[in-house]
Each structure stands twice: as C-alpha cells, then as structure tokens.
C-alpha cells in the first residue's frame, strides 16, 4: 500500500491498495477518475480552467489545466486498456478562499475556484464521464485522500472536519 | 524578463528592497502594539509556481492568511500569515488587551487581523515605493483562516495565469516577548519585476544585466 502524493499542477495514477493524496486545494480542483473493474484510479491537482487562455505561452505542463489534464489522464488510462466509458469521476475543491467585505477589486480576481469547477465539469460532460461525487465551492481549503480500491474520496478541511464522498 | 534568470546582482537588490520595506513595517507594528518587533533579513526565492507549496512553509499548518493586491507601477501580491495558535495573543496585542484574555476569534478580531495586514503592507510599500520612486497602492485586505497550502493555492493559481515562476520576498516577523511569529510575502508579477529591475539598473548605473 503506497501513499502517492499529487503535487500542485501534478497528476498520478494508482492501483488497488494505493492511496492518492493531495494537500491544500484552495481554488484548485482535485479531479479523481476511477475504473471500478480494475480498481485503477488517477488524480490531478488542477490550477486553472483553460490552457488556451494563458498569456504565458511557454507553459507545457498539461496537468495544470482542466482541459489538458483530463486529456492526459484519459490517454494514460487508454494505454492501460481502460476506455473512458469505464471511468467515473469525483471532483473536490474550487473554493473561494478569501472573504472580502464590500470590494470588487480583489473579488473579481478570486473567482478562479468557481471557474475551475465549471471547466472540469464541462470537460467531463463532453467526454461523457459521469460525476459520482462532488465537494466543491465554499470558503474552505481541502486535502484529499483518494482510495483506489474503494473509490472513496476522504476530504479534510482545516477547521471543519472530514467527510467521505 | 524571465525571473528564472535573475542574477546575483538583482537578488541582492531585491533583498535590499525587502529590507527597506520590512524595516519600516516592523517600526509601524512596534508602534502599534507597543512591543519590540523584529523582522528578519528578507529571503529572495525564485521558484517554479508548482513547487512553491513544497518549498515554502509547513503545508499542513493552519494559519490566518491576509491577502492584498498591489496596484500601480509594481503589480504584486502580498500575503501575511500567522499561525492559528497565535491568533488570540496577536489580536489581544492589536486590541491593547492583556495577552491571554481573548478566548474566541470574533468579528472584531478578524477585522483587527485584516487591519494588521493593511498596516504592515502600507508601511512596507511606502518605504519601497519612496526608494524606487514608483507607485505601489495596496488593495483592501482579504482574510482566510485555513491550511497554509490552501491559502497559498489560490494566490498561486492567480499568479500562474501570467507567470511561470514566483519571485517571493519572504520576511519573518517576530514579536519577542510572547514569541508570536509570522511571515510576510511580497510576490511581484513578471512585469513588475521588469519595472523594478529597470529602476535598479538606472540608479546603480548597471548597463549590461549579463
């Protein structure tokens, strides 16, 4: 049994007894995909909604964006002989971390969490992968353990305890 | 310019800028709480954004993060963090109460924390902007109480829309009597970096940045 750490803008694959772990999802989104038959799971820590909207053109890390991360994960599942029709998704994160009273200055900028969640859902819908679990939005950061064997995602917050989805 | 290629000269220059800012911030905070506040020599870090969480700070620690954006000639982000366990003592100091008397973090204390971010940032930016002769205007503060990584995560996601590397000036804030310590981060965006290096070049007479 391994605990496999998924860093920021990173993704990892896990099998059977392994647990995929990612810390501190604020506005970032943790996307978990899993095949029930082979107990194969993958998780990505997505930072931004769209690789095509980037002003910095040299970014070549596909796990960073909702659109490219999903494509990358699906390619790797396909390589293992797992078709996208076999996959189910769980989504965690996309919080709005900072509470600001009565200002538009910072507020406009910090909606990235919401945009991330929307982008990931859109990508999944286009690909036809069902979302079977979700814990998104709100104002709290989340840490996630994704169990390949059971498909359970354990979501932990700093001040509000934990729950399984 | 690509901040990954920032050479020693500019690292030193940014450290000095950080020094000027944090010196003033320490003075402002000392006067406010009537205690001695020390601020460490700033650390200049240039890290690929994705690697910031693993390199900077204790990822799982719960903190209060006060976040401000800086507008004007040097667009930047400021994050001030204090450990959760120190928040009550800190707000006692802010509100001029004996340390240890506060029991819950009520609205007043939360707004005192934000105010602290404003005071530190204002003093820091004032000194820096006078020195550089550039405009640096802080936004109103936003507050999050959460794990350090989650607090940082949103800021890094914002930053990563236009930057690949994070240039961070980190200063430790230490209150010696009650041993409260926090961190002050100034994170200039790439175009801010360009503006600042140009000014440094001009004032120091450096022609070739090598």
């Amino acid at each position: 049994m391994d605990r496999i750490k998924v860093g920021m803008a990173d993704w990892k694959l896990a099998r059977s007894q392994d647990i995929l772990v990612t810390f501190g999802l604020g506005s970032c989104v943790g996307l978990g995909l899993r095949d029930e038959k082979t107990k194969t799971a993958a998780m990505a820590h997505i930072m931004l909604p769209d690789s095509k909207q980037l002003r910095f053109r040299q970014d070549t890390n596909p796990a960073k964006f909702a659109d490219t991360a999903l494509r990358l994960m699906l390619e790797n599942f396909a390589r293992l002989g797992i078709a996208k029709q076999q996959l189910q998704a769980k989504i965690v994160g996309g919080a709005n971390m900072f509470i600001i009273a009565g200002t538009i200055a910072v507020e406009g900028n910090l909606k990235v969490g919401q945009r991330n969640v929307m982008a990931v859902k859109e990508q999944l819908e286009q690909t036809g992968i069902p979302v079977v679990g979700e814990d998104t939005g709100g104002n709290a950061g989340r840490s996630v353990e994704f169990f390949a064997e059971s498909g359970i995602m354990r979501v932990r917050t700093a001040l509000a305890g934990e729950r399984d989805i | 310019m690509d901040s990954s290629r920032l050479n020693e000269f500019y690292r030193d220059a940014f450290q000095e800028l950080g020094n000027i800012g944090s010196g003033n911030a320490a003075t402002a905070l000392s006067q406010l709480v009537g205690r001695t506040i020390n601020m460490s020599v700033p650390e200049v870090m240039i890290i690929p954004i994705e690697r910031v969480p693993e390199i900077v700070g204790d990822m799982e620690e719960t903190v209060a993060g006060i976040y401000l954006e800086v507008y004007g000639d040097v667009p930047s982000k400021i994050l001030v963090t204090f450990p959760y366990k120190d928040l009550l003592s800190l707000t006692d100091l802010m509100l001029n109460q004996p340390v240890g008397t506060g029991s819950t973090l009520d609205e007043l204390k939360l707004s005192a924390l934000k105010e602290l971010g404003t005071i530190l940032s204002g003093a820091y930016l004032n000194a820096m902007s006078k020195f550089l002769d550039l405009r640096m205007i802080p936004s109103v503060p936003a507050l999050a109480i959460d794990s350090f990584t989650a607090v940082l995560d949103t800021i890094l996601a914002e930053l990563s829309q236009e930057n690949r590397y994070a240039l961070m000036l980190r200063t430790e804030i230490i209150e010696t009597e009650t041993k409260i310590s926090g961190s002050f981060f100034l994170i200039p965006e790439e175009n801010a970096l360009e503006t600042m290096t140009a000014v440094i070049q001009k004032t120091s007479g450096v022609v070739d940045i090598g």
Side-chain angles (χ1 to χ4, degrees):
Chain A
M1 190 186 88
D2 284 325
R3 285 174 69 84
I4 302 170
K5 213 189 117 198
V6 181
M8 178 177 270
D10 182 19
W11 82 283
K12 291 278 161 52
L13 200 72
R15 286 204 216 229
S16 60
Q17 299 297 312
D18 295 339
I19 308 165
L20 291 158
V21 187
T22 199
F23 295 113
L25 291 165
S27 61
C28 288
V29 167
L31 166 63
L33 295 177
R34 180 173 169 272
D35 170 36
E36 166 67 26
K37 214 171 81 191
T38 58
K39 314 283 187 207
T40 309
M43 185 160 68
H45 183 135
I46 295 165
M47 288 182 88
L48 291 171
D50 191 353
S51 63
K52 294 181 289 293
Q53 276 174 12
L54 200 68
R55 265 174 259 187
F56 203 98
R57 288 288 150 198
Q58 282 155 282
D59 204 302
T60 50
N61 180 0
K64 190 166 176 175
F65 309 96
D67 53 343
T68 44
L70 181 62
R71 210 178 306 147
L72 178 70
M73 289 161 91
L74 292 181
E75 279 166 19
N76 279 276
F77 273 112
R79 233 170 267 160
L80 296 170
I82 299 165
K84 61 184 182 189
Q85 290 79 6
Q86 290 168 245
L87 296 172
Q88 292 188 322
K90 288 187 179 180
I91 319 172
V92 174
N96 188 6
M97 295 295 299
F98 289 97
I99 305 161
I100 318 118
T103 167
I104 33 166
V106 182
E107 196 190 335
N109 272 335
L110 294 177
K111 292 267 171 71
V112 65
Q114 249 165 299
R115 289 196 285 129
N116 276 336
V117 173
M118 273 167 56
V120 169
K121 283 185 175 169
E122 229 174 78
Q123 292 294 328
L124 289 168
E125 204 179 295
Q126 281 171 21
T127 328
I129 298 172
V131 178
V132 296
E134 180 181 351
D135 183 9
T136 58
N139 299 110
R142 299 163 170 98
S143 287
V144 178
E145 289 174 307
F146 189 27
F147 298 83
E149 180 74 26
S150 62
I152 286 172
M153 247 188 198
R154 187 151 295 158
V155 184
R156 196 166 294 143
T157 57
L159 300 174
E162 64 175 46
R163 63 181 280 224
D164 288 350
I165 59 162
Chain B
M1 84 182 273
D2 186 341
S3 52
S4 64
R5 298 205 321 262
L6 201 70
N7 66 24
E8 266 317 296
F9 173 77
Y10 287 108
R11 270 181 188 262
D12 290 350
F14 284 127
Q15 189 174 44
E16 191 45 39
L17 276 177
N19 243 335
I20 291 164
S22 59
N24 205 35
T27 308
L29 188 57
S30 304
Q31 282 169 0
L32 182 80
V33 299
R35 301 270 185 118
T36 310
I37 306 290
N38 293 325
M39 284 179 101
S40 71
V41 174
E43 192 182 342
V44 180
M45 295 177 282
I46 300 149
I47 311 169
I49 288 174
E50 288 99 305
R51 299 200 53 217
V52 170
E54 53 193 274
I55 293 172
V56 180
D58 180 352
M59 312 214 327
E60 293 275 44
E61 185 181 26
T62 303
V63 300
I66 307 138
Y67 172 65
L68 296 97
E69 298 205 338
V70 181
Y71 306 107
D73 299 323
V74 190
S76 312
K77 299 176 192 308
I78 287 176
L79 176 67
V80 187
T81 63
F82 289 97
Y84 187 65
K85 62 172 173 58
D86 290 345
L87 294 184
L88 286 175
S89 328
L90 185 64
T91 46
D92 281 344
L93 278 181
M94 291 280 301
L95 299 169
N96 218 354
Q97 288 164 354
V99 172
T101 47
S103 56
T104 50
L105 278 175
D106 53 21
E107 272 307 311
L108 179 67
K109 285 175 187 155
L110 295 180
S111 88
L113 283 173
K114 285 197 238 178
E115 190 53 30
L116 177 60
T118 302
I119 291 160
L120 284 171
S121 307
Y124 190 104
L125 293 177
N126 244 326
M128 209 172 195
S129 90
K130 259 188 209 144
F131 183 81
L132 289 170
D133 197 20
L134 293 170
R135 284 180 315 132
M136 300 174 92
I137 306 138
S139 72
V140 293
L143 175 71
I145 297 178
D146 216 299
S147 78
F148 182 73
T149 343
V151 167
L152 209 53
D153 178 276
T154 299
I155 297 169
L156 294 173
E158 280 294 320
L159 196 69
S160 74
Q161 297 185 64
E162 293 181 43
N163 306 268
R164 272 180 66 207
Y165 287 85
L167 166 69
M168 306 177 97
L169 292 175
R170 175 168 69 182
T171 309
E172 298 304 313
I173 309 159
I174 304 132
E175 191 280 310
T176 41
E177 212 169 310
T178 34
K179 304 244 181 324
I180 298 169
S181 72
S183 301
F184 185 101
F185 297 90
L186 178 75
I187 313 168
E189 289 170 19
E190 297 253 352
N191 51 347
L193 202 59
E194 239 160 77
T195 312
M196 285 195 293
T197 47
V199 171
I200 295 166
Q201 246 179 77
K202 221 169 81 188
T203 50
S204 63
V206 177
V207 183
D208 180 19
I209 62 162

